[in-house]
């Protein structure tokens, strides 16, 4: 699976704004980040280490963003991000909303949100959904093929899974766009949105992986994901293990990023194999314990015999269960 190692590296380099921010912040001291990351098909360095933002100037004050809660940190890719930033305006305080895509960054103030701005954001997110969907389809699909000791045919993986990943991304980003007018009216609701996003992210974290490991459609993957995660058991345990591993990794990687220069380069190189291990572990877990060997959600022991459906068919066969 070594040919897949460069993919997370390239995805990290495509987030130009965070890369520039990391180098610009070099020499300003060390910062430690604690990121609680659920399984995601293609995380990047910036999933684990968020470089500090440069100060923003206003007529009266200079202020740093108070935080970067992530919206739609969807498993397909690093999602759009909302950054609340007090502007210290001489008239009223504002909330800057930053939408990050793989190719550029679009910023707008919630005071200026309108149909035209939302249309531009929508077009940017559609492009983002296309790029992220293709990358995730080739990456996760190829890893799944290699774990099955099959040739990793990237074109066939993209053809088979990219439409589902793209549609999944569009649904997530569409939900995100709907929140922007709400934040424009009541920015304080952002604090309420953070725990809601955390719960929703857990409930649906298996969904994009099920596109590949179980050949599930988008609606089927959402439904199965809800059943699996709300039943607890091994699916919950794996999520907690993943979160624990990423917290430790985020501490180490954030220190490297804070060092600037060589530290950032080492973090970029070191993140790629770590991400590959996380994604491969998630694919292997969901394939072996969820999608076809009778390991039911909420159970800790495998079945003593192969599960048989109502027609007497062994469901451990290569047939795909609709």
């Amino acid at each position: 699976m070594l040919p897949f190692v460069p993919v997370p590296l390239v995805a990290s380099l495509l987030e130009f704004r965070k890369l520039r921010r990391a180098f610009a912040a070099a020499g300003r001291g060390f910062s430690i980040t604690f990121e609680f990351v659920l399984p995601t098909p293609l995380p990047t360095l910036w999933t684990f280490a968020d470089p500090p933002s440069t100060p923003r100037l206003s007529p009266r004050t200079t202020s740093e963003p108070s935080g970067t809660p992530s919206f739609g940190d969807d498993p397909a890719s690093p999602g759009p991000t909302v950054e609340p930033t007090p502007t210290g305006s001489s008239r009223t305080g504002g909330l800057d909303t930053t939408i990050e895509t793989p190719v550029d960054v679009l910023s707008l103030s919630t005071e200026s949100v309108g149909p035209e701005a939302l249309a531009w954001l929508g077009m940017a997110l559609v492009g983002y959904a296309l790029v992220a969907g293709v990358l995730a389809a080739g990456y996760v699909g190829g890893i799944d093929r290699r774990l099955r000791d099959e040739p990793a045919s990237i074109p066939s993986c993209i053809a088979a899974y990219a439409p589902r990943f793209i549609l999944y991304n569009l649904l997530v980003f569409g939900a995100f766009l709907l929140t922007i007018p709400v934040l424009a009216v009541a920015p304080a609701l952002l604090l309420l949105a953070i725990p809601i996003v955390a719960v929703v992210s857990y409930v649906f974290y298996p969904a994009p992986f099920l596109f590949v490991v179980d050949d599930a459609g988008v609606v089927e993957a959402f439904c199965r994901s809800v059943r699996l995660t709300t039943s607890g058991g091994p699916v919950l345990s794996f999520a907690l293990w993943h979160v624990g591993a990423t917290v430790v990794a985020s501490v180490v990687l954030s220190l490297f990023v804070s060092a600037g220069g060589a530290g950032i380069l080492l973090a970029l190189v070191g993140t790629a194999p770590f991400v590959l291990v996380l994604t491969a572990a998630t694919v292997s877990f969901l394939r072996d314990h969820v999608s076809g060997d009778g390991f039911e959600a909420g159970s800790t022991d495998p079945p003593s015999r192969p599960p048989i459906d109502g027609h007497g068919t062994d469901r451990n066969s290569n047939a795909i269960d609709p």
Side-chain angles (χ1 to χ4, degrees):
M1 288 192 289
L2 290 178
F4 294 101
V5 171
V7 179
L9 175 60
V10 172
S12 297
L13 293 174
L14 285 174
E15 297 194 55
F16 304 129
R17 178 175 176 269
K18 290 188 176 181
L19 193 61
R20 290 196 302 265
R21 226 166 70 190
F23 280 102
R28 296 183 183 176
F30 287 89
S31 64
I32 298 177
T33 302
F34 296 88
E35 296 288 348
F36 301 82
V37 182
L38 288 163
T40 304
L42 186 53
T44 67
L45 168 61
W46 315 116
T47 305
F48 310 106
D50 188 29
S53 296
T54 54
R56 295 174 183 247
L57 298 178
S58 66
R60 291 186 178 179
T61 62
T62 300
S63 58
E64 296 277 351
S66 59
T68 308
S70 195
F71 271 76
D73 224 9
D74 75 297
S77 64
T81 303
V82 175
E83 293 188 357
T85 306
T87 61
S89 169
S90 58
R91 294 185 299 171
T92 58
L95 182 71
D96 288 342
T97 303
T98 302
I99 309 300
E100 299 179 359
T101 73
V103 293
D104 207 342
V105 178
L106 301 176
S107 300
L108 60 94
S109 170
T110 52
E111 295 178 348
S112 63
V113 171
E116 183 178 354
L118 288 177
W120 279 108
L121 291 177
M123 287 189 291
L125 291 180
V126 168
Y128 179 37
L130 293 172
V131 174
V134 170
L135 283 175
Y139 187 65
V140 180
I143 290 174
D144 178 67
R145 299 282 178 88
R146 295 304 302 145
L147 288 174
R148 298 175 188 270
D149 293 325
E150 299 175 2
S153 177
I154 303 302
S156 65
C157 290
I158 292 175
Y161 308 123
R164 298 176 222 184
F165 277 103
I166 292 170
L167 179 57
Y168 175 80
N169 290 339
L170 290 175
L171 291 172
V172 173
F173 300 154
F176 169 75
L177 283 176
L178 292 176
T179 66
I180 294 180
V182 177
L183 292 176
V185 175
L189 290 178
L190 179 62
L191 297 177
L192 178 62
I194 295 173
I196 295 176
V197 170
V199 172
V200 171
S201 297
Y202 165 72
V203 169
F204 293 113
Y205 90 77
F209 292 97
L210 293 176
F211 299 156
V212 175
V213 301
D214 209 29
D215 199 25
V218 175
V219 175
E220 180 188 358
F222 272 111
C223 294
R224 290 204 64 194
S225 182
V226 172
R227 292 197 299 268
L228 292 168
T229 52
T230 55
S231 298
V235 177
L236 174 60
S237 299
F238 182 83
L240 293 175
W241 168 84
H242 192 281
V243 167
T246 57
V247 169
V248 175
S250 67
V251 172
V252 176
L253 292 172
S254 61
L255 289 174
F256 275 102
V257 170
S258 297
I264 296 173
L265 296 178
L266 288 174
L268 284 167
V269 173
T271 301
F274 176 67
V275 165
L276 178 63
V277 169
L278 288 181
T279 305
T282 306
V283 170
S284 179
F285 168 77
L286 289 174
R287 191 188 71 228
D288 294 341
H289 298 296
V290 173
S291 67
D293 67 352
F295 203 153
E296 299 292 339
S299 171
T300 57
D301 298 314
S304 58
R305 58 183 176 83
I308 305 297
D309 64 17
H311 302 285
T313 303
D314 183 349
R315 297 177 72 179
N316 277 333
S317 66
N318 294 328
I320 296 174
D321 180 14

